[in-house]
């Protein structure tokens, strides 16, 4: 038989047993699942039992080896899962080409045509010569995989009426073979990459290679899996989609697209956690292969989160989102938000990014909230949500740009935060869970913007604003939950809660510029400095006289009586600069060791006991 289209014949394509490819895929799937089960047993049984009960050098060595073994099983799970999906996708793509071929062969048989070994199609005598009245001769049509740019000139085509039909069938056979050969080549290249180094230890370099493998398989199988992910659906519709998948389909999505499934609002928390833990390993492998400051910073944050996840313990951690876009993405819950009666989601603020500081400080705030709330109701989950790019300040911004903080980041974050909360509301298993939106610093502006969107923040009963520079709202009544369900904590020595209104700040900038110009003309550099300070002060007081007392940077001061929220008691905190406290008063709201009353008030609110908070007089 003469090979066609790179060695593949039509008989071979006709006889391909795609079910055998799927059977092989099932075998790889079983290997992947066994590795996943082994990893799960190591993490949730062996390590969970060994870590708190054993001490000493031998115990530490055992823990280290078990963690390495768990990482190896995770690598096996990932790579075997990639092979499974690649084989299943190959079977599906070959079925398409095979179907085209079989349809063409069936039509040829119906017309009594003969398909030659090389894919050409022979047709019999038909019709008659108008002059001789003899039957027109039959012939053979050779197929073309690609459409001809122009039809052949007259005289080069047979007048036999069957010739055109034979040519069409031959072309369809050629196209089916060409497509199948191209599919075979693409999948062969990818499968050859899915190999591991010899040995028993999975290295960082192997995880970097695994990330490249996953990227290749995702691109190869885009039509097979990714195209069906309902990115444009509502969270409730996504939950329905996920619940309608077979076990095998879910396993494939988790193996090949943990990034998409793990970050898809509306997917159950346990599923997102499993997907994101796998994606976390791939992300670390990806960033380990990149040598720049951004990647190193983000990698340090990912490693810290990974270490905390592997530590286990109480409260249990759920990784609900992870990504390296922008300044990084990370969503961590302490407690299962799908089963908890009380769920809070805290949005961090200015200068937050996926780094070690976030992994240590912001995760601790969520954990402190959950621990405090558990004293009132054990069915509680507390989330830290870094699902947006918080503004990043530099020294130049602070000293040279009085209007550096805009609402753009908050508005973008508000949409994503609203979608996330809609997902939590959709997956929570309780009939009427109590949900709290919390924002700290610039994060309170993000929460405020989300609350002012049409329909408010889905499922949210209470809103907590701490260390807030404003929400963009004039009144607590604008936030969609009723002003009695908006709670504000503002330390007297927190300068962020006393930021000047934009008009005042702009006046200070203009006054400083004008005063410096005059001072420089009269007294050189020293005169410029004195004149700048004096001009700024004069301009500030002039603008202040025209600005409402309750107005701060982003609208009405949430702690002011004009805003109408419920202000709860917090410690004043150390004074900035004067007591060498820096801006520590801005960071103590969640910490029971530094501000016990504030942390307890937050715990009361997130468990639906806001009526019990200790109040503080409005400004």
């Amino acid at each position: 038989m003469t090979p066609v289209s790179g060695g593949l014949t039509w008989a071979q394509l006709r006889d391909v047993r795609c079910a055998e490819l799927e059977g092989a895929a099932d075998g790889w799937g079983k290997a992947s699942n066994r590795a996943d089960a082994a990893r799960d047993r190591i993490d949730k049984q062996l390590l969970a039992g060994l870590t708190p009960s054993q001490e000493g050098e031998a115990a530490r060595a055992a823990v280290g080896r078990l963690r390495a073994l768990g990482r190896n099983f995770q690598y096996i799970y990932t790579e075997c899962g990639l092979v499974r999906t690649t084989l299943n996708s190959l079977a599906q793509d070959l079925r398409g080409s095979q179907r085209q071929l079989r349809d063409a062969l069936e039509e040829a048989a119906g017309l009594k045509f003969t398909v030659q070994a090389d894919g050409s199609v022979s047709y019999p005598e038909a019709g008659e010569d108008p002059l001789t009245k003899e039957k027109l001769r039959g012939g053979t049509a050779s197929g073309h995989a690609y459409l001809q740019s122009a039809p052949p000139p007259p005289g080069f085509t047979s007048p036999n009426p069957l010739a055109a039909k034979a040519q069409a069938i031959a072309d369809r056979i050629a196209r089916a073979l060409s497509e199948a050969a191209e599919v075979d080549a693409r999948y062969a290249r990818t499968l050859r990459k899915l190999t591991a180094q010899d040995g028993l230890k999975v290295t960082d370099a192997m995880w970097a290679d695994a990330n490249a493998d996953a990227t290749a398989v995702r691109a190869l199988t885009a039509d097979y899996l990714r195209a069906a992910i309902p990115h444009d659906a509502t969270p409730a519709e996504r939950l329905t989609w996920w619940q309608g998948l077979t076990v095998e389909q879910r396993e494939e999505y988790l193996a090949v697209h943990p990034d998409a499934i793990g970050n898809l609002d509306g997917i159950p928390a346990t599923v997102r956690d499993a997907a994101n833990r796998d994606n976390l390993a791939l992300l670390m492998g990806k960033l380990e292969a990149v040598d720049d400051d951004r990647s190193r910073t983000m990698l340090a944050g990912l490693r810290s989160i990974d270490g905390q996840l592997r530590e286990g313990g109480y409260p249990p951690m759920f990784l609900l989102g992870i990504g390296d876009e922008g300044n990084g993405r990370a969503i961590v819950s302490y407690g299962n938000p799908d089963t908890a009666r009380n769920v809070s989601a805290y949005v961090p603020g200015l200068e937050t990014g996926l780094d070690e500081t976030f992994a240590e400080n912001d995760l601790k705030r969520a954990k402190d909230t959950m621990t405090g709330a558990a004293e009132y109701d054990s069915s509680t989950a507390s989330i830290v949500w870094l699902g947006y790019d918080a503004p990043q300040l530099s020294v130049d911004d602070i000293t040279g740009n009085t209007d550096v903080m805009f609402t753009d980041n908050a508005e973008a974050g508000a949409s994503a935060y609203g979608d996330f909360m809609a997902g939590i509301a959709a997956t929570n298993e309780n009939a009427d869970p109590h949900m709290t939106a919390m924002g700290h610093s610039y994060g309170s502006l993000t929460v405020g913007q989300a609350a002012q969107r049409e329909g408010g923040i889905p499922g949210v009963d209470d809103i907590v604003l701490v260390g807030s520079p404003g929400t963009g709202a004039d009144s607590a009544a604008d936030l969609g939950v009723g002003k009695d369900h908006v709670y504000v904590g503002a330390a007297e020595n927190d300068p962020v809660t006393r930021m000047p209104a934009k008009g005042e700040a702009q006046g200070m900038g203009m006054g400083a510029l004008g005063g410096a110009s005059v001072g420089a003309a009269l007294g050189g550099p020293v005169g410029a400095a004195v004149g700048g300070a004096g001009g700024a002060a004069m301009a500030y007081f002039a603008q202040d006289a025209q600005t409402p007392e309750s107005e701060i940077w982003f609208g009405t001061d949430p702690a002011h009586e004009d805003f109408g929220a419920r202000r709860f008691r917090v410690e004043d905190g150390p004074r900035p600069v004067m007591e060498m406290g820096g801006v520590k008063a801005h960071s103590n709201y969640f910490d029971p060791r530094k501000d016990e009353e504030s942390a307890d008030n937050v715990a009361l609110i997130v468990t639906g006991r806001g009526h019990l908070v200790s109040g503080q007089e409005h400004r």
Side-chain angles (χ1 to χ4, degrees), residues 11-25 87 90-92 94-95 98 102:
Q12 290 171 328
L13 177 58
R14 179 197 61 192
D15 297 336
V16 166
R17 297 179 181 177
C18 293
E20 292 185 355
L21 288 172
E22 291 168 333
L87 290 174
L90 170 60
Q92 176 173 283
L94 282 179
R95 270 203 180 95
Q98 191 179 60
R102 287 178 173 173

Coordinates of all heavy atoms in Angstrom, one line a residue, residues 11-25 87 90-92 94-95 98 102:
A11 N -6.4 3.3 4.8 CA -6.8 2.0 5.5 C -6.3 2.1 7.0 O -7.1 1.6 7.9 CB -6.1 0.9 4.8
Q12 N -5.1 2.6 7.2 CA -4.7 2.7 8.6 C -5.6 3.7 9.4 O -6.0 3.4 10.6 CB -3.2 3.2 8.7 CG -2.2 2.2 8.2 CD -0.8 2.8 8.0 OE1 -0.7 4.0 7.7 NE2 0.2 2.0 8.3
L13 N -5.9 4.8 8.8 CA -6.8 5.8 9.5 C -8.2 5.1 9.8 O -8.8 5.3 10.8 CB -6.9 7.1 8.7 CG -7.9 8.1 9.3 CD1 -7.5 8.5 10.7 CD2 -7.9 9.3 8.4
R14 N -8.7 4.4 8.8 CA -10.0 3.8 8.9 C -10.0 2.8 10.0 O -11.0 2.7 10.8 CB -10.4 3.1 7.6 CG -11.7 2.4 7.6 CD -11.8 1.4 6.4 NE -10.7 0.3 6.5 CZ -10.4 -0.5 5.5 NH1 -11.1 -0.4 4.4 NH2 -9.4 -1.4 5.7
D15 N -8.9 2.1 10.2 CA -8.9 1.0 11.2 C -8.3 1.4 12.5 O -8.2 0.5 13.4 CB -8.0 -0.2 10.6 CG -8.6 -0.7 9.3 OD1 -9.9 -0.6 9.1 OD2 -7.9 -1.3 8.5
V16 N -8.0 2.7 12.7 CA -7.5 3.1 14.0 C -8.5 2.8 15.1 O -9.7 3.2 15.0 CB -7.1 4.6 14.0 CG1 -6.9 5.1 15.5 CG2 -5.9 4.9 13.2
R17 N -8.1 2.2 16.2 CA -9.0 2.0 17.3 C -8.9 3.0 18.4 O -8.1 2.9 19.3 CB -8.8 0.6 17.9 CG -9.0 -0.6 16.8 CD -8.7 -1.9 17.4 NE -8.9 -3.0 16.4 CZ -8.7 -4.3 16.7 NH1 -8.2 -4.6 17.9 NH2 -8.9 -5.2 15.7
C18 N -9.7 4.0 18.2 CA -9.6 5.2 19.2 C -9.9 4.7 20.6 O -9.4 5.3 21.6 CB -10.5 6.3 18.7 SG -10.0 7.1 17.2
A19 N -10.8 3.7 20.7 CA -11.1 3.2 22.1 C -9.9 2.7 22.8 O -9.8 2.7 24.0 CB -12.2 2.1 21.9
E20 N -8.9 2.1 22.0 CA -7.7 1.6 22.7 C -6.9 2.8 23.2 O -6.2 2.6 24.2 CB -6.9 0.8 21.7 CG -7.6 -0.5 21.3 CD -6.7 -1.4 20.4 OE1 -5.6 -0.9 20.0 OE2 -7.2 -2.5 20.1
L21 N -6.8 3.9 22.5 CA -6.1 5.1 23.0 C -6.8 5.5 24.3 O -6.1 5.9 25.3 CB -6.2 6.2 22.0 CG -5.3 6.1 20.7 CD1 -5.6 7.2 19.7 CD2 -3.8 6.1 21.1
E22 N -8.1 5.5 24.3 CA -8.8 5.9 25.5 C -8.6 4.9 26.7 O -8.6 5.3 27.8 CB -10.3 6.1 25.2 CG -10.6 7.3 24.3 CD -12.0 7.3 23.8 OE1 -12.6 6.2 23.6 OE2 -12.5 8.4 23.5
G23 N -8.5 3.6 26.3 CA -8.1 2.6 27.3 C -6.8 2.9 27.9 O -6.6 2.8 29.1
A24 N -5.8 3.2 27.1 CA -4.5 3.6 27.6 C -4.6 4.8 28.5 O -3.9 4.9 29.5 CB -3.5 3.8 26.4
A25 N -5.4 5.8 28.1 CA -5.6 7.0 28.9 C -6.1 6.6 30.3 O -5.7 7.2 31.3 CB -6.5 8.0 28.2
L87 N -3.8 11.7 25.6 CA -4.3 10.5 24.9 C -5.8 10.6 24.6 O -6.2 10.3 23.5 CB -3.9 9.2 25.6 CG -2.5 8.9 25.7 CD1 -2.3 7.7 26.6 CD2 -1.9 8.6 24.3
L90 N -6.2 13.1 21.8 CA -5.7 12.6 20.6 C -6.8 11.7 20.0 O -7.1 11.7 18.8 CB -4.4 11.7 20.8 CG -4.0 10.9 19.6 CD1 -3.7 11.7 18.4 CD2 -2.7 10.1 20.1
A91 N -7.4 10.8 20.8 CA -8.5 10.0 20.4 C -9.6 10.8 19.8 O -10.2 10.4 18.7 CB -9.0 9.1 21.5
Q92 N -10.0 11.9 20.5 CA -11.1 12.7 20.0 C -10.8 13.3 18.6 O -11.6 13.3 17.7 CB -11.4 13.8 21.0 CG -12.5 14.7 20.5 CD -13.0 15.7 21.6 OE1 -13.7 15.3 22.5 NE2 -12.5 16.9 21.5
L94 N -8.5 12.4 16.4 CA -8.5 11.3 15.3 C -9.8 10.8 14.9 O -10.1 10.5 13.7 CB -7.6 10.2 15.8 CG -6.1 10.4 15.8 CD1 -5.4 9.1 16.3 CD2 -5.6 10.7 14.4
R95 N -10.8 10.8 15.9 CA -12.1 10.4 15.5 C -12.7 11.3 14.5 O -13.5 10.9 13.6 CB -13.0 10.4 16.8 CG -13.0 9.0 17.5 CD -14.2 8.9 18.4 NE -14.2 7.6 19.0 CZ -13.7 7.4 20.3 NH1 -13.3 8.4 20.9 NH2 -13.7 6.2 20.8
Q98 N -11.2 10.5 11.2 CA -11.7 9.2 10.8 C -13.1 9.2 10.4 O -13.5 8.5 9.4 CB -11.6 8.2 12.1 CG -11.8 6.8 11.8 CD -11.6 5.9 13.0 OE1 -12.4 6.1 14.0 NE2 -10.7 5.0 13.0
R102 N -14.4 8.0 6.7 CA -15.5 6.9 6.6 C -16.7 7.4 5.8 O -17.3 6.6 5.0 CB -15.8 6.4 7.9 CG -14.7 5.5 8.6 CD -15.1 5.0 10.0 NE -14.1 4.1 10.5 CZ -14.1 3.6 11.7 NH1 -15.1 4.0 12.6 NH2 -13.2 2.8 12.1

